[in-house]
Amino acid sequence: MYQVLARKWRPADFDELVGQKHVSKTLMNAIESGRLAHAYVFAGLRGTGKTTVARILAKCLNCVNGPTTSPCSECDACTEIAASRSMDVMEIDAASRTKVEQTRELLEVVSYAPVRDRYKILIIDEAHMLSKASFNALLKTLEEPPPNVLFILATTEIGKLLPTILSRCQVFEFRRVGTRELTEHLRRVCTAESIDVSDSGLERIARAGEGSVRDSLSVLERVLAFCGQNVQDEDLLRLLGGVRAEVLIQWLRGLATRDAGMMLQVLDGVIDEGHDLLPFWNELVACLRDLLLIRAVPEGDDLVSRSSEEAAALREAAEGLGVEDLTRAFQMLADLEYALRSSSRPRFVFEAALIRLAGLGSVKPIEDVLQSLAGGRAASRPTVSAAPTPRARRAPAADPKPQPQKKNPAATADPAARLIEAVHDKQPMIGAILEQANAILLDGQALVVSFGKEDAVVAERLRDAETVDLLRQAAERISGAQVNIRIESDGGPEATAEQPAPPKPAAPDTVAPETAASKPKTRARARPGRDELLEQARSEPGVKKLLREFGAQVVDIRPLEVATPEPAADVEDQE
Ligand SMILES: Nc1ncnc2c1ncn2[C@@H]1O[C@H](COP(=O)(O)OP(=O)(O)OP(=O)(O)O)[C@@H](O)[C@H]1O
Ligand SMILES: [Mg+2]
Ligand SMILES: [Zn+2]
């Protein structure tokens, strides 16, 4: 009869148990010294050995050779326990027996002397599911436990067990099993079952188990159903939704060189191959996490579950990235989860994030910056970056492959949504940027796209003449009239989605259709006093240096003698 791997490979004794050394050691000591508790709680993640250890302990106590730490697994007691049909070892599933009468009955049975063996053992699985009344009945018994009775409560949710119960039990926390140990275990199983699979393949399976031995065996089972005994890496990747190491390496190179185009191409390729976005996102986050560990701590290599070749290749690809860079990239990607899960266009969200990642300048130690300021040796590359160079511009303006469009723009009522769709059709990258806006207001005569201050770099990308044209064409097609374009990135109160600012034609940011191509400098003439002052301040060598070294912005300018300054004139995106 075919037996699933997880059942077939249930450890018969403590020696075969993977991980959980703290549990097996303490229990073995207790057995040897005859100092067993009356009740144990086995708590922890599913599939980490709670039921298994409960049975091993029962065998240890009731084996004909017992009490022993190495039961024979052959005597009646041992075989009956393994098959869960022992008269003296009762396993109940609390989930299906929550009624207090049933619990009372059981507790009564427990109070009789063992039928044949040394101990009467009651294993209560999913103990947190017991009703309150059942708990109380159990509590009474635990207060005055009958001799030679042992209770084992197994639960995945220890928080739901009453403190009064817990205080009468010895509690063991079953831990997640590390990927390395899992991989070794899977290797033993595969060797015994004549399954042919690569080391990195096994690691991938182990990782998919997320610390649960049962889950990793179930994944292996699924893989076998798909591939047979001969498991190819390619098949495995397809099945588990993973990407090849080369893909991660290519992506890391893009990140290290701030090449948005390269990262976007990798994403495009992954989607083309039919991968889902979330698993890919997951891989990127895991990859950055691993790199961080490798970089940040000396024993990092031991903490990551990658083959040493793979780890070395990743490290090499991420050569130019420091711990701070990796931390920031990790943070930005990790923060993406909600948006990816909830957006109707997760791809755009992903793309925009990659563009932003490319826009992050690399972090330079502050000492270096100060030194270069003091020594007058002007640093030529962007440094500590609040508003870094928009590297995203290096990205190809349009996706090489046109994207299949899922929705008919006309079918979407919201003009902003229609605009995004229309723009994404023409230039996916610009569409992705629009997706990041705080608010998009499109009425008869104006299109206002507002970004937060932190998105100034991204906003800047929309201000070039070609893009403004693209936006205008799309907006005019939707509104059926001439439209002025305004890109805001001051993150001010009027830039929020609830209260979009009405378009002010005279505002410095407005790009009127006929001056679309004009640069901020020419526009500055519209408000000579303040703007000229600001311009002067910015060309002042000391200020210039600060702007460059810290990626700072000139926000306001005030005459020294004036006590009550005029309201601030926000000036954005100075680099
Ligand atoms: N520590 C372990 N060492 C070896 N195999 C294990 C271990 N933990 C679980 N397994 C494998 O997983 C299967 C299920 O384990 P077990 O029933 O002990 O898990 P559990 O912790 O009781 O899970 P649940 O919370 O779902 O009841 C076992 O038959 C065995 O194949
Ligand atoms: Mg169990
Ligand atoms: Zn035995």
Side-chain angles (χ1 to χ4, degrees):
M1 196 188 78
Y2 180 76
Q3 233 184 348
V4 295
L5 288 177
R7 172 115 18 117
K8 187 168 172 188
W9 284 87
R10 190 190 284 283
D13 54 34
F14 286 124
D15 281 346
E16 290 179 10
L17 195 69
V18 179
Q20 321 303 0
K21 287 282 168 287
H22 59 299
V23 179
S24 50
K25 208 166 159 217
T26 317
L27 284 177
M28 280 156 84
N29 281 340
I31 294 165
E32 268 163 3
S33 62
R35 275 175 226 260
L36 281 169
H38 284 289
Y40 290 98
V41 167
F42 291 172
L45 183 74
R46 61 186 194 281
T48 49
K50 299 181 294 295
T51 305
T52 304
V53 172
R55 288 194 192 162
I56 293 175
L57 179 59
K59 288 204 290 188
C60 288
L61 297 179
N62 281 356
C63 174
V64 280
N65 306 330
T68 169
T69 52
S70 40
C72 73
S73 293
E74 279 167 5
C75 68
D76 288 346
C78 283
T79 48
E80 284 169 15
I81 291 169
S84 35
R85 53 181 167 79
S86 163
M87 296 284 278
D88 289 325
V89 179
M90 283 164 291
E91 270 183 54
I92 66 150
D93 183 359
S96 59
R97 286 214 200 206
T98 50
K99 289 216 183 69
V100 65
E101 298 80 41
Q102 292 174 327
T103 312
R104 283 224 185 86
E105 265 167 42
L106 261 176
L107 293 173
E108 208 180 300
V109 174
V110 166
S111 65
Y112 300 140
V115 178
R116 179 192 63 200
D117 302 329
R118 246 163 260 117
Y119 282 88
K120 199 110 193 164
I121 298 169
L122 181 60
I123 302 171
I124 306 179
D125 241 322
E126 312 283 341
H128 61 273
M129 300 286 280
L130 282 180
S131 67
K132 197 151 188 213
S134 300
F135 263 130
N136 284 334
L138 181 62
L139 197 59
K140 274 229 177 69
T141 319
L142 285 180
E143 264 159 14
E144 273 178 72
N148 292 343
V149 168
L150 181 71
F151 290 95
I152 301 173
L153 312 185
T155 179
T156 47
E157 296 186 53
I158 192 171
K160 291 192 182 160
L161 287 185
L162 294 177
T164 40
I165 298 269
L166 287 176
S167 67
R168 286 170 175 77
C169 300
Q170 187 172 349
V171 178
F172 286 110
E173 297 265 10
F174 281 62
R175 301 184 184 142
R176 229 166 249 288
V177 179
T179 311
R180 195 154 298 183
E181 259 178 314
L182 271 180
T183 311
E184 284 163 12
H185 182 57
L186 291 176
R187 177 52 77 201
R188 275 192 296 276
V189 173
C190 287
T191 307
E193 302 275 337
S194 351
I195 296 162
D196 191 17
V197 53
S198 74
D199 282 344
S200 66
L202 272 192
E203 256 171 40
R204 201 168 272 282
I205 295 173
R207 253 185 277 151
E210 294 182 341
S212 160
V213 187
R214 191 207 287 113
D215 286 1
S216 67
L217 287 171
S218 309
V219 173
L220 177 61
E221 192 100 39
R222 239 182 348 143
V223 169
L224 295 182
F226 184 78
C227 310
Q229 301 291 102
N230 214 318
V231 181
Q232 302 296 322
D233 282 354
E234 287 293 311
D235 292 338
L236 204 60
L237 288 173
R238 196 161 334 137
L239 200 63
L240 301 184
V243 294
R244 282 162 289 125
E246 297 96 84
V247 175
L248 292 179
I249 288 166
Q250 184 74 2
W251 183 84
L252 275 176
R253 287 210 185 102
L255 179 67
T257 55
R258 323 267 165 210
D259 188 336
M262 198 189 276
M263 287 193 282
L264 289 172
Q265 259 163 20
V266 170
L267 179 68
D268 190 53
V270 165
I271 295 172
D272 250 14
E273 281 177 28
H275 289 284
D276 285 336
L277 284 178
L278 267 176
F280 177 57
W281 167 82
N282 213 354
E283 294 239 12
L284 292 186
V285 174
C287 168
L288 288 175
R289 174 261 183 197
D290 286 358
L291 277 170
L292 255 177
L293 289 190
I294 292 173
R295 280 284 167 74
V297 291
E299 66 276 18
D301 270 5
D302 295 337
L303 297 172
V304 308
S305 51
R306 293 183 195 272
S307 61
S308 39
E309 306 93 74
E310 193 178 327
L314 291 181
R315 211 174 330 173
E316 200 191 309
E319 194 75 5
L321 296 166
V323 170
E324 287 85 0
D325 297 324
L326 288 169
T327 310
R328 288 196 306 171
F330 173 85
Q331 199 57 53
M332 269 191 63
L333 270 189
D335 287 347
L336 214 58
E337 179 167 15
Y338 178 75
L340 281 181
R341 286 188 194 279
S342 57
S343 170
S344 58
R345 304 186 201 85
R347 178 187 178 141
F348 298 1
V349 173
F350 213 137
E351 288 169 340
L354 294 185
I355 293 166
R356 272 212 277 184
L357 267 180
L360 288 179
S362 68
V363 182
K364 199 167 151 190
I366 189 78
E367 292 79 15
D368 290 5
V369 180
L370 292 177
Q371 201 189 9
S372 83
L373 278 175
R377 194 172 40 77
S380 55
R381 64 187 177 101
T383 49
V384 182
S385 57
T389 331
R391 309 272 182 130
R393 267 187 222 165
R394 266 201 248 137
D399 246 9
K401 284 163 229 144
Q403 293 314 305
Q405 203 50 46
K406 307 116 243 163
K407 279 181 212 146
N408 168 14
T412 326
D414 176 18
R418 285 174 60 191
L419 181 84
I420 296 178
E421 295 266 11
V423 170
H424 193 268
D425 258 359
K426 291 248 157 66
Q427 289 210 25
M429 210 168 84
I430 306 296
I433 292 175
L434 282 182
E435 183 83 0
Q436 289 292 297
N438 281 351
I440 298 177
L441 178 77
L442 175 58
D443 66 11
Q445 305 96 46
L447 168 66
V448 185
V449 185
S450 321
F451 291 87
K453 263 207 174 71
E454 69 284 2
D455 284 330
V457 177
V458 177
E460 187 57 38
R461 178 70 181 81
L462 296 188
R463 292 202 176 103
D464 70 52
E466 222 173 282
T467 309
V468 170
D469 262 354
L470 172 75
L471 291 178
R472 181 165 338 94
Q473 278 168 21
E476 288 181 349
R477 209 164 308 130
I478 291 165
S479 73
Q482 264 213 347
V483 170
N484 279 348
I485 312 288
R486 190 161 118 104
I487 313 293
E488 294 177 341
S489 56
D490 50 10
E494 82 266 46
T496 58
E498 292 78 31
Q499 275 193 322
K504 286 172 269 172
D509 252 317
T510 303
V511 185
E514 58 283 356
T515 60
S518 64
K519 292 284 163 236
K521 260 183 199 147
T522 22
R523 280 190 273 132
R525 238 168 269 136
R527 299 179 58 182
R530 169 154 318 223
D531 289 352
E532 241 157 47
L533 276 176
L534 282 169
E535 208 58 51
Q536 261 175 32
R538 267 183 243 119
S539 50
E540 153 64 27
V543 176
K544 239 174 159 170
K545 222 169 206 179
L546 277 173
L547 292 180
R548 188 176 57 232
E549 294 297 330
F550 291 101
Q553 304 175 0
V554 178
V555 172
D556 189 13
I557 188 156
R558 293 173 196 174
L560 276 176
E561 327 72 50
V562 178
T564 46
E566 288 177 59
D570 283 352
V571 174
E572 319 142 344
D573 306 342
Q574 292 310 315
E575 282 158 13

